[in-house]
Every structure is written in structure tokens, then in C-alpha cells.
Amino acid sequence: MRWDNLSHDGPDASGTTAALFGTDVVTRTFDTPEFRGITFHEVRARSIINRVPGASRMPFEWTVNPYRGCSHACVYCFARRSHAYLDLDTGIGFDTQIVVKTNADRLLRRELASPRWHGQHIAMGTNVDCYQRAEGRYRLMPGILAALRDFANPFSILTKGTLILRDLDLLRSARAVAEVGISVSVAFLDEELWRTVEPGAPAPERRLDVVRTLAEHGIGCGVLMAPVIPFLSDGPAQLRATVRAIAAAGATSVTPLALHLRPGAREWFMAWLARDHPGLVRHYEALYADGAYAPKWYQRRITRQVHELAEEYGIGPSRPGAHRAVPDPGRCAPEPEPGPTQLTLL
């Protein structure tokens, strides 16, 4: 397993090139029900504010990711491929081998204080969920949010996790001094589909409760309706029910995005599809024959349908600047990796 000698292609927030992790790695496993089957690799990161590669079309330039791997275990997760850079399995290993940057909060405070840092917007939850189950044990986000608040640094969070509600007071105090954008990912309401494609994530209804609670506390929250899964969650009645529920929860916006299947995620998703929905395999091979993204006509159709429904229920798509760092999960920013194998952002 490669923990050291993983260097950035470009500079981190301090302007230097450094290895991603040191060599003092502690591996822990727990028998408690919430962590059964999960292994944590506790590492000390060399840097925590990561620059998005210049070729990216992201609406943000800097990210913070306190974890690698994700126990949400979403079968479509684009970030699976990033586990390969640590010689970890991109399938079940991605779901159960979680890298924890135990010094993330302290390191962030140091980097925010650097004279080279100029207070740019920082996006979180763009690689893996910063409020996945591991956060319940390691509690890195309170320190991260406190640092961002103390330096009045704008930031945004995208999450499927209900644990964000633990940090309501920190979010409110941060909003008093800086721009803060919160978005929750809710793609569909179908519980059977949720249990098979997002088995480790909170139920869609619980995520809508997060949106509702944030709204009740005066924190506007958008919903990323992603991914819309062809032939499984894209029926007119399904889209209507989902948008109606999102509106009822008090979301400020809804942004639909069709499923994408990048290398790494594509193989894992197609294996799941062959097991659970073998009759759809040929349809997917045809729909995604030209690459990772669904055809433009399909993307436009889904976007039009959802936007029409959103208007009907009194909400709209994300406005420019409203949630600057709500990413397309098909174009999210991985952490920088070694030179020739770095992920290409399209």
C-alpha cells in the first residue's frame, strides 16, 4: 500500500510541492455495529487545501477533503478510481477502506494563516462525503468549520450525510462572517433503489429532513438531484414525486444531473446492473457507448423536465453564485495524484 512518495503535480495552498501523506500510518478496525467491516487508515496529511487542476471546468478552484474512500458505498461513485493510487481496491475496498487525515483541522488552520493564501472559496464534499459515518468518530469537521469561520473564509458543502446537523451552530456562525453554501444530494425517493445503489447512505427522506431542518434554522439549502439513473429513476412520475418532495422540504433550488460512468465507477456499476437488472445491460451499453456521459439529448430532456417541475412547485435551478461550489458529480475534483496517471477532468 503506497502512503508516501505520492506527490502533487502542482502546488498546494502553501505554494509548495509535497507528498500527500507521511509514513506514520495507523490502521484500526472496530467491531461496533456502525463500523463493522470498515477499516480506518489514520494518516497525517502533508497539505489539506488542494488546488483543482487547471483543465477543470469546476466553479471552484480549491477543495478540502478530510477523507478518502466512502462508506456510503454508492455503486456509481466517480471517486472510486482515486483509491487505486493507494493500491487499494476501487470496489468493496473503496467502501470499506477509509483513509482519515487525522490532522486535517489543525493543518487547515495553519494553511489559512499562510501569507500565500488569499481567502478563496473552498469546496468540501466534492470528492467523497465529509459527513460520512467516519466523521461521527473522528469529528474533523467541527475544527475545519471553526477554522474557516475564524478566518472568514467562504466555503460550501455537498453531502448525503445527516451528521451535518450536529454542526448547525458552527454553520450559522460561519454564515455571519463569510459566504456559505450548503447542498444536499437527493436523486430519488425509491427506497428499494436507494438500498441497492446507496446502501451506506442515509435514506432519501432523512436527507430531506436535513434540508427541512437547515431551512428552519435560517440556512438556505439547495438540492443536487443526482444522479438521475436511466430506466430506474427517470420516469415522469418519479421525477415529479422527487421534485415535489424537495420543494416541500424547503429547498432553495434543485439541480438535476444524469448518471455518468467514468472508468472505475463504470465497471463497478455495470457489475451491479448485471446482478440486479440484467435486462438493462444492453440499454446501458447503447446509451453510454460514446463515453462516460449520457447523450446530450438525454441530459437536456432530464434538465428540462426537472426545471419545469421545479417552476411548478415554486423552486428553481441553482442561480449563478447562489451555491458556487455545488459540483456536477460527473465532474468533481479529485485530489491531485502523481503525474502521468492524474485523473483528467472534462
Side-chain angles (χ1 to χ4, degrees):
M1 196 177 297
R2 296 183 297 159
W3 299 112
D4 53 355
N5 300 322
L6 285 179
S7 299
H8 296 307
D9 282 343
D12 57 23
S14 67
T16 63
T17 298
L20 291 177
F21 310 130
T23 57
D24 50 339
V25 180
V26 177
T27 297
R28 302 183 191 274
T29 57
F30 304 95
D31 293 329
T32 51
E34 67 270 27
F35 297 127
R36 187 165 292 131
I38 297 177
T39 299
F40 296 105
H41 303 286
E42 299 174 358
V43 304
R44 292 184 61 81
R46 300 289 180 81
S47 66
I48 195 66
I49 302 179
N50 304 302
R51 189 168 200 159
V52 178
S56 171
R57 299 177 184 175
M58 291 297 92
F60 50 83
E61 190 177 1
W62 301 93
T63 65
V64 164
N65 296 297
Y67 303 99
R68 292 173 69 113
C70 186
S71 59
H72 287 341
C74 302
V75 297
Y76 52 75
C77 183
F78 84 96
R80 290 182 175 278
R81 187 180 178 187
S82 65
H83 243 39
Y85 296 109
L86 298 178
D87 290 340
L88 291 170
D89 175 58
T90 59
I92 193 67
F94 178 83
D95 305 336
T96 61
Q97 302 280 328
I98 311 300
V99 178
V100 183
K101 302 172 188 176
T102 56
N103 61 333
D105 49 355
R106 300 183 299 277
L107 187 54
L108 176 61
R109 190 171 288 273
R110 189 181 79 191
E111 292 184 2
L112 291 174
S114 169
R116 295 186 178 89
W117 180 251
H118 302 295
Q120 298 94 322
H121 191 102
I122 290 176
M124 293 178 283
T126 62
N127 192 45
V128 298
D129 203 321
C130 51
Y131 282 107
Q132 60 177 287
R133 275 180 286 167
E135 174 60 17
R137 172 177 174 79
Y138 288 98
R139 297 182 62 87
L140 296 176
M141 287 302 292
I144 288 171
L145 295 178
L148 291 165
R149 177 201 61 196
D150 293 348
F151 284 89
N153 204 104
F155 66 89
S156 60
I157 298 171
L158 171 65
T159 185
K160 288 186 177 80
T162 57
L163 195 55
I164 190 174
L165 296 180
R166 179 200 63 194
D167 297 337
L168 267 174
D169 289 343
L170 280 166
L171 292 171
R172 294 179 70 177
S173 60
R175 288 178 75 246
V177 296
E179 179 188 1
V180 175
I182 309 296
S183 288
V184 172
S185 175
V186 184
F188 46 78
L189 302 180
D190 186 325
E191 287 209 4
E192 183 177 353
L193 184 61
W194 155 64
R195 291 182 188 278
T196 58
V197 301
E198 301 170 341
E205 288 292 343
R206 300 290 73 76
R207 289 177 243 164
L208 290 173
D209 287 342
V210 170
V211 176
R212 190 174 293 109
T213 302
L214 289 171
E216 290 170 353
H217 285 80
I219 300 175
C221 178
V223 168
L224 190 65
M225 193 171 160
V228 176
I229 305 177
F231 311 112
L232 292 173
S233 71
D234 63 349
Q238 292 170 301
L239 295 178
R240 175 174 289 277
T242 304
V243 174
R244 182 171 58 238
I246 290 169
T252 58
S253 65
V254 57
T255 303
L257 294 165
L259 174 72
H260 77 284
L261 294 173
R262 284 187 166 192
R266 186 184 188 111
E267 294 82 1
W268 193 244
F269 179 88
M270 292 301 290
W272 167 82
L273 194 70
R275 290 192 307 269
D276 284 43
H277 301 279
L280 292 179
V281 170
R282 280 195 306 121
H283 296 289
Y284 268 79
E285 289 173 345
L287 193 64
Y288 290 88
D290 293 332
Y293 296 93
K296 290 292 186 183
W297 62 262
Y298 180 86
Q299 296 183 52
R300 286 193 293 265
R301 190 189 82 190
I302 294 300
T303 299
R304 182 182 67 253
Q305 288 178 301
V306 170
H307 286 181
E308 289 174 352
L309 289 166
E311 185 176 1
E312 179 180 339
Y313 289 110
I315 57 176
S318 293
R319 301 180 305 279
H323 293 283
R324 291 190 298 170
V326 174
D328 173 343
R331 297 189 174 93
C332 286
E335 295 177 350
E337 301 290 354
T341 53
Q342 181 164 345
L343 297 179
T344 301
L345 299 178
L346 301 177

